[in-house]
Amino acid sequence: MAERLRIPGLVGEMAAEFAGTMILILFGVGVVAQVAGAGIGDHDSIAWSWGLGVTLGVYVAARISGAHLNPAVTVALAVFKGFEWRKVAPYAIAQFLGAFVAALIVRWNYTEVLHAADPGLTIKTQGVFSTLPGNGTLDVGHWGAFRDQIIGTAILLFLILAITDSANTAPLSNLAPVVIGLLVVAIGMAWGTNAGYAINPARDFGPRLASFLTGYGGAMRDQTGYLYFWIPIVAPVIGGVLGAGLYQVLIGRFLPSDAPQEPGEIPTPRDSMEATRG
């Protein structure tokens, strides 16, 4: 068998973050385009497809980069788990680019469907690519959406740390990506009303920019005309740090010590077995 190409560490990690985030968005934005453009599916299919997209994206990237797939995850791991700060910006750029490219693919593939459903490419289908307060229809204010994104991302990071902490009861048999995907399904089903559960700056801004550059002139604004794009960027970062911090305060500091683990790395069954023996 031919020897694998050796790629410098950070370059390989960025490639993995790009690819994993691209897979996530292909399924996530793709399902919303199908529901909004063709009427095939509903809220539940959207939640499940986003969750499956996360699972598959994590399986793609976890061995190489830890599969953050989300700048809020990357920042939180840098604050609390020793992830190198010098890698935060490269990871975030790779995540954004993966989301951007995936959204362009979805936009291209669903061109006919989207134009048939919304010839003017208006707020009616803008939510295919990016989130809106109250999903573009409900009476939710900007600060309500900001609050919602802080809470939703705090839940996400609290539970990601719980699931991937090998000193805790981490899933065995490489099932952590499946459990993380189910976590995203649960957030979508319980926390999707006020702001569309972006909980990921790359997931929102990459597709938002892709839609803006391909005909959605109002993509940076919400249904009221407010320049909304910054809320799903800033609020998830704040929420991610809060959620990771709460995990450390309430759970992490009380767990027994364990063998060193790479920041953000998903524990393998071998890791867990060794921890049990130790």
Side-chain angles (χ1 to χ4, degrees):
M1 183 180 294
E3 184 178 352
R4 292 181 184 271
L5 177 65
R6 299 296 180 185
I7 300 176
L10 183 57
V11 174
E13 291 167 27
M14 290 177 67
E17 287 295 305
F18 173 90
T21 308
M22 183 172 66
I23 293 298
L24 160 62
I25 298 302
L26 285 174
F27 284 94
V29 172
V31 71
V32 184
Q34 181 169 268
V35 172
I40 300 172
D42 54 18
H43 171 268
D44 287 355
S45 64
I46 290 173
W48 278 106
S49 192
W50 274 109
L52 289 169
V54 168
T55 293
L56 297 171
V58 173
Y59 273 124
V60 165
R63 185 64 181 268
I64 299 172
S65 68
H68 300 183
L69 315 185
N70 181 342
V73 172
T74 302
V75 170
L77 292 177
V79 172
F80 291 105
K81 289 292 185 178
F83 185 74
E84 296 179 77
W85 279 102
R86 70 180 182 86
K87 293 184 177 181
V88 170
Y91 266 51
I93 291 169
Q95 293 154 3
F96 159 74
L97 289 175
F100 177 75
V101 170
L104 287 178
I105 294 171
V106 173
R107 175 70 176 85
W108 179 39
N109 188 62
Y110 280 99
T111 293
E112 297 86 354
V113 171
L114 291 173
H115 279 271
D118 181 16
L121 300 180
T122 67
I123 200 76
K124 180 180 178 181
T125 57
Q126 181 179 317
V128 167
F129 298 95
S130 53
T131 59
L132 293 161
N135 292 309
T137 59
L138 302 176
D139 187 19
V140 176
H142 307 120
W143 292 111
F146 192 88
R147 175 193 66 228
D148 174 87
Q149 286 302 286
I150 290 176
I151 295 171
T153 316
I155 294 170
L156 176 71
L157 262 296
F158 186 98
L159 290 169
I160 283 178
L161 292 193
I163 293 164
T164 61
D165 192 340
S166 60
N168 204 341
T169 52
L172 302 181
S173 301
N174 200 23
L175 285 176
V178 175
V179 180
I180 292 171
L182 291 174
L183 164 61
V184 173
V185 173
I187 291 174
M189 289 184 170
W191 292 89
T193 297
N194 283 5
Y197 70 107
I199 56 176
N200 180 340
R203 167 267 174 272
D204 191 84
F205 189 69
R208 189 182 296 271
L209 181 60
S211 65
F212 179 77
L213 295 176
T214 58
Y216 284 85
M220 298 297 167
R221 300 181 181 274
D222 66 12
Q223 63 269 29
T224 70
Y226 178 75
L227 199 62
Y228 180 79
F229 78 93
W230 66 273
I231 288 179
I233 296 174
V234 175
V237 173
I238 295 172
V241 171
L242 288 175
L246 281 172
Y247 177 79
Q248 291 299 104
V249 169
L250 297 176
I251 303 296
R253 66 194 179 111
F254 298 114
L255 292 170
S257 60
D258 191 20
Q261 177 185 343
E262 285 296 315
E265 181 183 12
I266 293 175
T268 64
R270 181 181 175 184
D271 294 333
S272 300
M273 289 173 63
E274 289 176 352
T276 301
R277 293 194 200 103

